[in-house]
Amino acid sequence: MDKGYELYCLADKLFYDAPPVTRSTDFEITQRDLPAGWEQILGDEWVVYDPPQSRTPLQGWKVHVSGCAESAAEILSGTWEYCVDNHIEFKHLRGPGTLRMRNAKYAPRGASGKLVTIYPEDERELERVLAELGARLDGLAGPYILSDLRIGSGPLHVRYGGFAERRCLDEQGKLVAALENGAGELVPDRREPIFSVPDWVTLPACLEPHLKARAATTTTDLPYQITKALHFSNGGGVYEATDTRSGRKVVLKEGRPHAGLAADGADAVTRIERERDVLRKLDGIDGVPAALDWFTLGEHHFLVQEFIEGRTLNTFFAERHPMLDPDPDPEKTAAYTEWALRVYEGVERVVAAIHERGVAFNDLHMFNVMVRPDDSAALIDFETAAPASDGGRQTLANPAFLAPPDRRGADVDLYSLACLRIALFVPLTTLFVIDRGKAPQLADLIAANFPVPRPFLDEAVEQITRGAAPVAAPEFVPDARGWKRARESLSLAIRASATLERADRLFPGDPEQFDGASLGLAHGAAGVLYALGATGAGRLPAHEEWLAARAADPRRGTGIGLYDGLLGAAYVLARLGRGEDALTAAGHCLNERWERLGDDLYGGLPGMALALDDLADTTGETSLRDEARRAAEIVAGRAAGGRSPRPGLMHGGAGAALMFVRSYERTGDAGLLDLAAAALRRDLAACVTDHNGALHVDQGSRVFPYLGRGSVGIGLVLDEYLALRPDEEFEEARRAIRVAAMSRYYAQPSLFGGRAGMLLYLARHGRDDPRVAGHVRDLAWHALPYADGLAFPGEHMYRLSMDLATGTAGVLLALGAALHDPAPSLPFFRTAEHRWGDDPHPPVRSAQPDELPVVSSTAATSIQPERR
């Protein structure tokens, strides 16, 4: 499971949601009475304790106390008493559930292990805390905090960083936690999983012995030389190494004590001890690595395994799968089918041999299947394997192969094998996390496109759907009647999902909405209302009121950009005829330090310039045009050569080019078209062409054709540019981008990162293109029933989403681009509509500049200082 999404899957079985926080799950320490003048502040994750007279600076050396389930109560009691007695500000995690999730296997490695944070006033107080509290807590267990310097062998750790919540832009234009450097500038407060000291900071003398002790632990005396890191998780790393005694290639698997927790509470050390014991029991089975050695370095434990030559099964998909081609070749399809069936048979043989030894593998998925050079199969990663007779459930699993709760012991592997039969041909089994009733439709899809024996698929469907309710296969028909049915079913699901009673979000979507993006176009309410309005699906007055109210009084941390926040809300409110509300939202943005925003369309200055120009038109507030011009000038002044660090529409040069194109149309200044061309060339410099002649954005380990951060988003802006000025290089790029939008298979359905974006792009070029009709029909692959309608899964497909960027609203907009009249598109592209339906609001009076709301701020986001 993706590290950043696991936490948001806990609260709801259908939607990503913020983890539930209730007083019943808090640590008992939160119930203690504080002395007079102290304040306790209960947050979602942390409980903060402020003394009567705060002496805490904005940044400095902070003390982290790590802890685990067994030691948490004693650590919290000791820390609480020490800090309260000495009038030192501190905070701790709210409860055991939060501690467990922060120490889980796929929790962020840099922040894992922290139970308490203490804010010393200065280095003298730091030294006292380390000496006095360190002595009090010495010997209590806790994981090593990778971002910090450990103090002795106890649970205290130290790192230099920000105390107050301050933000700045990083190299990619994203707002991140900040601290002040030696020149007084805000710079990113990096929280990497390795201890480092900022170059303008001097290490206090009291820390020097601990830094020397840390440096004393090395791999020099080991009989193994590490040559490559293969994988990292919060539980430790996996490394390729050479046995210096024999020259043999081996794998070192690391386990960190008290870290990398599984569902059963087992830490990484416990799991690799289990793996060692299981591998010894399975010794001699072809396709199972041998356990060769075991050692401890510092406090970390290492299992040495036989190195399996080959590649993981998932890596073959991009180069072999025929449905990635625009026109799958029958011979290639037949060859792929033969290869896939042969690999499957090999996996099944290894699993059967494991079962004969009385062991359940418990974690079968494509990343744990090695395909050796002769195409024979082997399995890796036995840390969750267990005696089949125990009848245990999975404690760690890939969602695409996660067995339902009624499968135990060897039945877990049989379920995963059934999923593998489907995933080898259509890797969409993550949908089964939401609804296993999807399996028959996927089997029919495979049968229609691959020469696979039908019993092979039927057996898989029977295994997967056992105990699941049958689901009727959805259908999208590319005609007027089909569009009407599709619009009704998607909008019905969207409306049913709304939570007007909540303040943190209106429509369920991507977890990004809980990081300040609940109002914007990408993941927030504005994007959903935009899609409904632009496709003729109707107005929702109560939902519009929700957006207007939240935009008038935004929560701390709300983004201010077009796609991430308030400007997106302002744009949509103006489209809905709510000009006063739009100006209120824009006023919040203009009173921030918006000049510091990045050069991206998503949350930066290009989106701001476009939105403010549009607001000037729709509201009559012409003074906004001056601010739009300033934003565009800043972007122009920052422009440089080379290639974009994050190419694409949302974060790269294409977004700036869109701004320059629209500015040219307003002013007639040909120099703006020159700037647009230069920005597009920077993005195209980061693209590569595949064997089909399709152009993709090259991100190193992966290539992207998608609308949000891939070549199709660049293609949208190329269309806008070429409508104004001919350019043969751009024409050639556009032809290659069209090929990238023609594949039969896309892993996700979304607008920004999947098939819907391809549909929107191709529909702009011609609705009669048979590939447009094909994409309309094939969106049914991902559609799932919800509330008498149909909805789509969001990013990674672990849960449903209703937002524009990743979910159902984006699919609705794309279908509308192909089937609705007039055709909608994204904001500021030529086919975007200006108003939707009847306008229940009177025309807005043009506000004077001094009437715009004033918001005090110290950074380019609507936040106030908070301890972190």
Side-chain angles (χ1 to χ4, degrees):
M1 177 171 284
D2 181 84
K3 302 175 185 180
Y5 282 72
E6 181 180 14
L7 187 63
Y8 294 91
C9 292
L10 299 177
D12 194 284
K13 293 183 178 180
L14 289 179
F15 299 113
Y16 295 120
D17 207 347
V21 178
T22 64
R23 290 302 297 253
S24 62
T25 61
D26 288 349
F27 286 117
E28 291 183 7
I29 198 79
T30 60
Q31 306 301 317
R32 281 197 187 181
D33 293 330
L34 285 162
W38 277 82
E39 182 181 7
Q40 181 192 65
I41 304 166
L42 294 170
D44 289 343
E45 267 196 297
W46 295 92
V47 183
V48 179
Y49 297 85
D50 279 340
Q53 293 182 335
S54 179
R55 301 169 285 117
T56 309
L58 293 175
Q59 63 190 51
W61 289 97
K62 59 176 71 175
V63 178
H64 291 125
V65 189
S66 67
C68 56
E70 296 77 15
S71 64
E74 190 172 353
I75 286 173
L76 288 171
S77 179
T79 304
W80 191 98
E81 292 165 3
Y82 180 83
C83 290
V84 169
D85 288 346
N86 289 278
H87 302 278
I88 303 173
E89 183 179 347
F90 69 104
K91 69 178 183 179
H92 64 73
L93 294 177
R94 282 197 65 156
T98 310
L99 176 63
R100 185 167 55 251
M101 285 309 307
R102 278 183 161 260
N103 287 338
K105 181 174 181 180
Y106 288 112
R109 298 168 64 226
S112 177
K114 299 172 186 175
L115 173 61
V116 182
T117 303
I118 302 170
Y119 303 97
E121 178 185 11
D122 51 31
E123 292 183 9
R124 288 179 297 177
E125 189 165 74
L126 169 71
E127 187 170 3
R128 287 198 302 272
V129 170
L130 297 181
E132 297 168 3
L133 183 60
R136 185 167 186 167
L137 303 182
D138 188 41
L140 295 178
Y144 191 102
I145 300 174
L146 296 175
S147 61
D148 289 24
L149 176 64
R150 189 164 201 161
I151 306 303
S153 58
L156 267 59
H157 299 71
V158 171
R159 182 180 81 87
Y160 189 93
F163 289 4
E165 183 76 26
R166 294 191 286 179
R167 300 283 186 100
C168 72
L169 298 172
D170 66 6
E171 296 83 354
Q172 298 179 335
K174 185 177 180 180
L175 281 169
V176 297
L179 71 168
E180 194 174 298
N181 67 12
E185 304 165 326
L186 287 181
V187 297
D189 184 2
R190 306 198 184 278
R191 304 176 187 184
E192 305 294 335
I194 185 171
F195 175 71
S196 62
V197 181
D199 55 15
W200 68 90
V201 174
T202 302
L203 188 77
C206 65
L207 300 182
E208 291 178 359
H210 305 287
L211 185 61
K212 290 179 181 178
R214 179 180 181 274
T217 302
T218 70
T219 61
T220 304
D221 296 329
L222 291 177
Y224 304 102
Q225 182 179 1
I226 295 175
T227 55
K228 184 191 301 183
L230 302 175
H231 174 71
F232 285 108
S233 75
N234 192 32
V238 180
Y239 309 92
E240 180 182 314
T242 300
D243 187 330
T244 57
R245 297 162 297 188
S246 64
R248 182 182 187 180
K249 192 181 293 186
V250 297
V251 169
L252 305 184
K253 191 163 187 179
E254 177 186 24
R256 297 177 55 222
H258 313 297
L261 304 181
D264 63 352
D267 70 357
V269 174
T270 300
R271 288 201 308 278
I272 66 168
E273 286 176 340
R274 292 174 181 172
E275 181 168 8
R276 174 197 62 195
D277 296 342
V278 165
L279 291 180
R280 288 172 177 171
K281 185 173 183 177
L282 300 177
D283 188 49
I285 294 178
D286 182 32
V288 175
L292 304 175
D293 195 5
W294 176 272
F295 66 89
T296 302
L297 180 65
E299 63 183 77
H300 294 194
H301 297 246
F302 289 84
L303 170 63
V304 184
Q305 298 182 17
E306 173 190 4
F307 183 87
I308 302 289
E309 290 286 353
R311 293 161 52 192
T312 54
L313 180 55
N314 66 291
T315 64
F316 287 86
F317 188 82
E319 65 189 46
R320 284 181 178 261
H321 203 280
M323 293 183 78
L324 295 176
D325 297 338
D327 296 299
D329 176 57
E331 291 186 7
K332 182 178 179 180
T333 299
Y336 177 84
T337 301
E338 181 183 355
W339 174 84
L341 292 174
R342 185 166 64 250
V343 169
Y344 174 81
E345 290 169 2
V347 174
E348 194 174 51
R349 279 195 296 271
V350 178
V351 172
I354 291 170
H355 287 180
E356 287 177 4
R357 301 270 182 104
V359 173
F361 183 48
N362 281 331
D363 196 19
L364 177 64
H365 57 82
M366 286 194 175
F367 292 82
N368 283 348
V369 174
M370 294 291 293
V371 180
R372 294 181 284 199
D374 63 356
D375 282 346
S376 64
L379 300 182
I380 57 173
D381 199 356
F382 282 75
E383 67 178 43
T384 60
S389 59
D390 288 354
R393 290 175 56 185
Q394 287 172 296
T395 56
L396 287 171
N398 182 294
F401 295 80
L402 174 64
D406 65 325
R407 314 301 168 90
R408 295 174 177 267
D411 277 353
V412 169
D413 294 340
L414 297 182
Y415 178 88
S416 298
L417 282 169
C419 290
L420 184 61
R421 293 190 184 200
I422 302 294
L424 276 165
F425 299 95
V426 181
L428 299 178
T429 56
T430 306
L431 295 172
F432 300 162
V433 173
I434 305 172
D435 195 335
R436 286 182 285 129
K438 193 74 173 175
Q441 182 189 356
L442 298 187
D444 290 343
L445 172 61
I446 295 169
N449 290 278
F450 295 89
V452 178
R454 189 71 211 203
F456 179 87
L457 300 173
D458 292 341
E459 291 167 6
V461 169
E462 183 179 1
Q463 176 68 245
I464 293 165
T465 59
R466 193 175 79 207
V471 176
E475 184 180 35
F476 292 105
V477 180
D479 59 24
R481 183 177 298 178
W483 163 235
K484 185 177 179 180
R485 288 199 301 267
R487 181 175 62 184
E488 177 58 27
S489 64
L490 299 189
S491 61
L492 182 64
I494 290 170
R495 293 194 298 270
S497 74
T499 53
L500 286 163
E501 71 281 2
R502 290 180 59 160
D504 60 338
R505 61 108 158 121
L506 178 55
F507 299 99
D510 192 82
E512 281 288 324
Q513 65 185 199
F514 300 110
D515 192 24
S518 64
L519 303 183
L521 283 169
H523 306 297
V528 178
L529 295 177
Y530 176 84
L532 291 171
T535 58
R539 298 278 296 270
L540 299 173
H543 303 68
E544 295 169 15
E545 289 289 347
W546 187 99
L547 178 61
R550 298 312 182 278
D553 185 19
R555 293 162 64 92
R556 181 181 55 80
T558 298
I560 68 173
L562 178 63
Y563 279 92
D564 71 344
L566 286 168
L567 283 169
Y571 173 83
V572 171
L573 287 168
R575 307 263 78 60
L576 294 167
R578 305 183 65 119
E580 293 283 6
D581 295 324
L583 288 176
T584 298
H588 286 293
C589 303
L590 291 172
N591 283 281
E592 299 285 352
R593 295 184 182 179
W594 58 263
E595 297 90 344
R596 298 183 178 185
L597 292 175
D599 300 337
D600 58 290
L601 181 67
Y602 185 82
L605 294 173
M608 185 168 203
L610 288 164
L612 292 179
D613 261 335
D614 183 78
L615 284 173
D617 291 338
T618 56
T619 69
E621 182 47 67
T622 57
S623 65
L624 296 176
R625 214 176 302 287
D626 293 333
E627 307 296 351
R629 188 182 308 110
R630 281 182 61 202
E633 288 171 352
I634 293 171
V635 176
R638 293 174 182 171
R643 51 184 284 173
S644 298
R646 299 179 70 190
L649 177 62
M650 288 297 145
H651 300 285
L658 177 64
M659 176 196 69
F660 288 130
V661 166
R662 298 283 88 95
S663 296
Y664 163 76
E665 290 177 326
R666 186 178 296 278
T667 66
D669 181 356
L672 292 168
L673 274 187
D674 295 338
L675 288 169
L680 286 167
R681 292 187 208 283
R682 288 196 298 273
D683 272 10
L684 291 174
C687 293
V688 294
T689 305
D690 70 8
H691 65 282
N692 289 311
L695 196 69
H696 301 265
V697 167
D698 183 6
Q699 291 285 13
S701 60
R702 297 178 62 189
V703 296
F704 294 107
Y706 304 118
L707 185 150
R709 52 177 176 162
S711 55
V712 161
I714 300 170
L716 285 173
V717 185
L718 285 174
D719 290 344
E720 302 293 319
Y721 180 92
L722 289 168
L724 301 171
R725 177 191 281 178
D727 188 296
E728 184 53 41
E729 178 190 350
F730 289 172
E731 288 284 4
E732 183 179 350
R734 179 160 66 173
R735 287 190 289 270
I737 291 169
R738 279 181 51 80
V739 179
M742 294 178 179
S743 294
R744 282 296 317 281
Y745 172 83
Y746 294 96
Q748 300 190 126
S750 67
L751 183 65
F752 282 17
R755 186 184 299 278
M758 309 302 160
L759 172 60
L760 183 143
Y761 176 70
L762 290 179
R764 284 165 52 89
H765 287 219
R767 289 179 164 191
D768 295 333
D769 185 339
R771 297 184 189 278
V772 169
H775 281 328
V776 169
R777 294 189 184 96
D778 292 346
L779 277 168
W781 297 3
H782 291 84
L784 292 163
Y786 174 74
D788 297 325
L790 290 173
F792 284 82
E795 190 75 8
H796 301 294
M797 302 195 298
Y798 306 149
R799 295 292 187 270
L800 297 175
S801 170
M802 299 297 170
D803 70 31
L804 183 73
T806 71
T808 308
V811 174
L812 175 64
L813 187 72
L815 287 169
L819 302 171
H820 183 60
D821 287 316
S825 188
L826 287 172
F828 308 112
F829 287 91
R830 289 179 184 275
T831 56
E833 287 303 297
H834 285 283
R835 290 185 183 272
W836 313 304
D838 296 330
D839 180 7
H841 302 283
V844 64
R845 175 182 63 84
S846 296
Q848 298 305 309
D850 59 356
E851 293 180 283
L852 293 175
V854 176
V855 180
S856 176
S857 175
T858 57
T861 183
S862 303
I863 57 175
Q864 298 299 321
E866 180 183 84
R867 294 300 174 207
R868 55 181 175 83

